[in-house]
Amino acid sequence: MSTPSSTSILPAPGSRFPNIAFKWAAGLAAAMIIVLIILVGWELYAGSRLSLSKFGAGFLWSSEWDPVAEKYGALPFIFGTLVSSLLALLIAVPLGVATALFLTELAPMRMRQPITMAIEMLAAVPSVIFGLWGIFVLIPWLRDHLFVWLKHTLGFLPLFQGPIYGVSMLAAGVIIAIMILPIVTSISREILRSVPNLQREAAYALGATRWEVLRIAVLSYARRGLFGAAILGLGRALGETMAVTMVIGNRPQISASLFAPGYTLASVIANEFTEATTDLYLSSLFELGLVLLAVTILVNIAAQIMLKGITGSVSSKVA
Amino acid sequence: MSTLPETARIPAGAAPVRVAAAPATASTADVPVEAEEVAFDIRNFSMWYGQRQALQEITIKISARKVTAIIGPSGCGKSTFLRSLNRMHDLTPGTRLEGTLRHFGNDLYGPGIDATAVRRRVGMVFQKSNPFPTMSIADNVLVGLRLNGMRDRSVLQERLEQSLRMAALWDEVKDLLNRPGTSLSGGQQQRLCIARSLAVQPDTLLMDEPCSALDPIATAKIEDLIQTLREKYTVVIVTHNMQQAARCSDRTAFFYMGRLIEFDNTRKIFTNPSNPQTEAYVSGRFG
Ligand SMILES: Nc1ncnc2c1ncn2[C@@H]1O[C@H](COP(=O)(O)OP(=O)(O)O)[C@@H](O)[C@H]1O
Ligand SMILES: [Mg+2]
């Protein structure tokens, strides 16, 4: 038996320069991304100086947003951003992973390509189109059917109480879920495809059924990567603006009910920038931008830490 | 007496399928011995990957509680043959087979036979060790049992130790049971995979070149292990290493280009084969 890799690990003569050049180019690109983030952060910080000095840290947990009274607080927007994104993840991750499982493990070969293409086309639809569809199709349906049903069956939970308007936190969650579904699905699909066949065969050889193979060999092997897919989806969800603005109701409030309207950081910046007439108003919007950037970065750092936890711990129920 | 199976000379497709009583193919000289229990009774077994025929009219009786080695040049159908013994081909689209394959009297491909039940009785160890990377050593061993619904802690604990002892791994890992299975060395991982197969209490163990990725010391350990397994299990081992076949098997089957050329006691195959092709292969003149 020959080992095919034994020749390729030796550097070919003359290959050192391109190697070094590539290393530097990649390093430079990475550095530029970091510089760019710092620059953006600095710009936002500079713009929000006025509001920072006026409200201090209280800006973060004040829930009042009243431009007329010159009172600005970020809490309803942070709440709206996190809740709508989490709702989207709750919907999109199971759906995306299930679709990816179907595409890689279950669907007949000739069905895989068309379904994949359809999902990828979903990613090409402009945000504003989703918003229009949300207003004219999704929201009426949610209002007249799903929400009514939820209120009827799960109405004992505070989540599903209160008046139904249509525009709501839940509608935003649904629309964001649809928008991040393609990326969650296609990354999950790549992750699942990278699970070695030998893992599946190991499970089959123990007498596992198809579903058991998915559980013990495929999903558990892929869980780290699937978590990564969810985080990429979350990254998209946090910054999603246009479609969300069109369906969330744009009311800066914190409500336990998912039927109630809300507002997100991205939406309020987009909506109110043009009408921000006073310096403090404008500066507060800048600070919201800074908060959005921070939330995104923090969520990603938290995800990295959780990812370490996933691989580091091996559970055992015996011994 | 001729050791070339009669059926092997018949062109593919010419012979009737599922002959009720095989003609006196007695595929081989004097094996299996009358008194031996037959684990696999295989007759006129052919198998195709799409249009490509990989096995041609194999007729062979593999004895229970013996080690049977499958040898032959690469691409001759050893793995294909082995994988048909526990219906692993069910997972490969486009495969097709003809003939009968009985395992302790049951038609493995008969109607109403559940492939998952077959695989629980006929375990498999692969060329490359493949423990589940997210599971601890203990969980790797017990995963098959848990799939079968076993929840009793004392049974699990007992089976864990028993399987690891049988796989000659217990002493090395008894204090590391909660460590990931993949933290072990290559040879240990392969023995872990053997323990995992044994834990579901199969009666037969198939091994496809189980030592080809291992160093000589790890290989020797697995070969010793095979010797102890033959007391309780039927072992069928594919190997491209003829010394290994000579060292650790009772019977040897020589395959060439999808056909079974000769099947006999290992000693006879390696000292005095009846077929010139076998002779050429075991003496290293081709393959
Ligand atoms: N999944 C497959 N699809 C198509 N042909 C295959 C497949 N697996 C094996 N073959 C072919 O079947 C023949 C026998 O292969 P295999 O049983 O793996 O040989 P061996 O294990 O003796 O090296 C080879 O010619 C190989 O190319
Ligand atoms: Mg092989």
Side-chain angles (χ1 to χ4, degrees):
Chain A
M1 287 262 291
S2 66
T3 44
S5 59
S6 60
T7 49
S8 56
I9 49 173
L10 296 170
S15 72
R16 281 186 64 82
F17 173 72
N19 253 335
I20 291 170
F22 179 76
K23 232 176 172 171
W24 275 96
L28 199 71
M32 259 169 63
I33 290 169
I34 293 170
V35 167
L36 211 63
I37 290 176
I38 292 173
L39 277 179
V40 169
W42 174 258
E43 256 337 288
L44 290 172
Y45 169 75
S48 50
R49 256 193 210 130
L50 189 59
S51 135
L52 275 168
S53 64
K54 176 110 196 270
F55 304 113
F59 183 78
L60 289 180
W61 47 82
S62 158
S63 51
E64 225 174 327
W65 184 264
D66 187 351
V68 180
E70 293 260 280
K71 287 208 172 115
Y72 303 100
L75 199 59
F77 309 107
I78 298 174
F79 175 82
T81 298
L82 290 179
V83 171
S84 60
S85 299
L86 286 179
L87 280 174
L89 276 194
L90 282 179
I91 301 166
V93 170
L95 209 60
V97 172
T99 311
L101 271 177
F102 178 71
L103 283 172
T104 54
E105 313 282 330
L106 306 170
M109 283 297 171
R110 67 201 148 68
M111 276 175 68
R112 297 183 182 188
Q113 198 54 34
I115 299 177
T116 306
M117 266 173 61
I119 292 167
E120 258 145 37
M121 244 143 76
L122 207 56
V125 176
S127 184
V128 67
I129 304 292
F130 274 114
L132 281 176
W133 177 81
I135 291 172
F136 291 109
V137 182
L138 181 68
I139 284 183
W141 181 80
L142 289 175
R143 186 185 56 214
D144 300 338
H145 298 97
L146 183 70
F147 286 4
V148 177
W149 180 82
L150 280 173
K151 191 167 180 168
H152 187 72
T153 48
L154 297 170
F156 57 90
L157 295 171
L159 290 177
F160 304 110
Q161 289 169 0
I164 293 174
Y165 307 101
V167 290
S168 57
M169 198 67 102
L170 191 49
V174 172
I175 210 112
I176 300 172
I178 296 170
M179 297 182 69
I180 65 174
L181 192 59
I183 185 157
V184 173
T185 307
S186 64
I187 292 172
S188 301
R189 197 174 117 254
E190 289 310 310
I191 300 287
L192 293 176
R193 275 191 350 181
S194 72
V195 175
N197 231 355
L198 208 55
Q199 288 287 318
R200 296 182 181 90
E201 290 190 340
Y204 275 118
L206 292 171
T209 62
R210 213 169 200 190
W211 291 110
E212 290 165 342
V213 172
L214 293 188
R215 184 162 60 81
I216 66 172
V218 179
L219 284 177
S220 71
Y221 187 96
R223 62 187 181 183
R224 189 182 147 91
L226 293 177
F227 187 79
I231 293 308
L232 276 173
L234 180 58
R236 290 277 172 97
L238 290 171
E240 194 45 65
T241 311
M242 195 59 214
V244 178
T245 307
M246 292 164 82
V247 301
I248 200 169
N250 299 332
R251 200 183 297 164
Q253 64 177 22
I254 295 174
S255 166
S257 172
L258 298 180
F259 298 151
Y263 219 159
T264 68
L265 289 162
S267 294
V268 71
I269 296 169
N271 273 340
E272 302 190 8
F273 220 83
T274 46
E275 55 200 60
T277 41
T278 68
D279 287 347
L280 188 59
Y281 195 177
L282 196 62
S283 174
S284 297
L285 287 174
F286 263 107
E287 194 174 345
L288 288 182
L290 195 61
V291 170
L292 179 56
L293 188 69
V295 165
T296 314
I297 291 171
L298 284 178
V299 161
N300 272 293
I301 290 173
Q304 295 291 334
I305 292 168
M306 281 163 73
L307 205 55
K308 286 229 169 67
I310 287 184
T311 41
S313 71
V314 172
S315 70
S316 177
K317 285 141 249 159
V318 165
Chain B
M1 61 194 87
S2 162
T3 48
L4 189 68
E6 281 298 323
T7 49
R9 295 205 198 94
I10 301 169
V17 193
R18 283 178 191 271
V19 272
T25 38
S27 58
T28 45
D30 20 55
V31 293
V33 176
E34 268 315 316
E36 282 172 13
E37 191 184 2
V38 175
F40 289 102
D41 184 353
I42 297 162
R43 301 189 186 184
N44 298 324
F45 189 81
S46 300
M47 135 106 214
W48 288 260
Y49 291 106
Q51 295 298 311
R52 192 181 192 301
Q53 185 164 11
L55 293 176
Q56 302 198 16
E57 305 267 333
I58 307 289
T59 297
I60 187 172
K61 281 186 178 143
I62 294 175
S63 298
R65 288 170 300 280
K66 295 266 184 251
V67 178
T68 301
I70 312 282
I71 60 168
S74 122
C76 71
K78 304 183 296 293
S79 299
T80 303
F81 176 73
L82 197 74
R83 291 161 68 87
S84 42
L85 300 183
N86 71 342
R87 295 192 52 168
M88 224 50 180
H89 294 306
D90 291 16
L91 315 169
T92 315
T95 54
R96 188 165 64 81
L97 43 92
E98 278 180 8
T100 54
L101 203 160
R102 289 182 181 279
H103 178 236
F104 291 108
N106 306 313
D107 186 352
L108 278 193
Y109 290 90
I113 297 286
D114 177 9
T116 61
V118 170
R119 296 188 199 115
R120 251 172 262 153
R121 292 190 60 191
V122 185
M124 188 162 213
V125 176
F126 299 83
Q127 189 165 352
K128 207 165 158 286
S129 62
N130 53 359
F132 297 119
T134 57
M135 292 184 197
S136 67
I137 291 171
D139 287 341
N140 260 290
V141 175
L142 296 173
V143 61
L145 269 182
R146 291 213 175 96
L147 284 182
N148 295 349
M150 174 56 68
R151 291 287 170 270
D152 186 329
R153 276 174 146 266
S154 60
V155 175
L156 289 172
Q157 185 66 56
E158 184 189 304
R159 199 73 70 78
L160 173 65
E161 178 169 343
Q162 189 190 350
S163 309
L164 284 169
R165 278 192 191 282
M166 191 88 81
L169 190 59
W170 175 254
D171 292 331
E172 290 159 60
V173 303
K174 62 175 186 281
D175 301 320
L176 318 168
L177 292 171
N178 291 322
R179 296 267 299 278
T182 41
S183 65
L184 298 172
S185 73
Q188 289 174 323
Q189 285 192 28
Q190 193 60 299
R191 278 178 283 148
L192 177 62
C193 293
I194 293 173
R196 179 176 65 185
S197 301
L198 296 179
V200 291
Q201 298 192 317
D203 47 52
T204 305
L205 201 58
L206 310 176
M207 304 176 130
D208 194 347
E209 307 197 19
C211 306
S212 65
L214 303 182
D215 62 62
I217 293 171
T219 300
K221 282 201 172 134
I222 304 243
E223 287 179 7
D224 287 348
L225 165 58
I226 292 170
Q227 295 316 306
T228 62
L229 291 178
R230 68 140 65 80
E231 291 162 19
K232 288 179 73 177
Y233 301 91
T234 305
V235 177
V236 185
I237 176 171
V238 166
T239 176
H240 64 256
N241 177 337
M242 279 183 277
Q243 287 77 29
Q244 181 168 63
R247 274 195 303 266
C248 62
S249 72
D250 304 298
R251 304 278 153 74
T252 298
F254 172 58
F255 277 62
Y256 185 58
M257 289 174 65
R259 292 169 192 272
L260 173 64
I261 304 298
E262 184 166 357
F263 176 50
D264 212 322
N265 287 313
T266 297
R267 179 188 295 272
K268 179 147 192 309
I269 293 279
F270 285 98
T271 55
N272 181 25
S274 306
N275 188 292
Q277 283 179 305
T278 316
E279 156 106 68
Y281 183 71
V282 298
S283 60
R285 273 182 279 135
F286 79 87

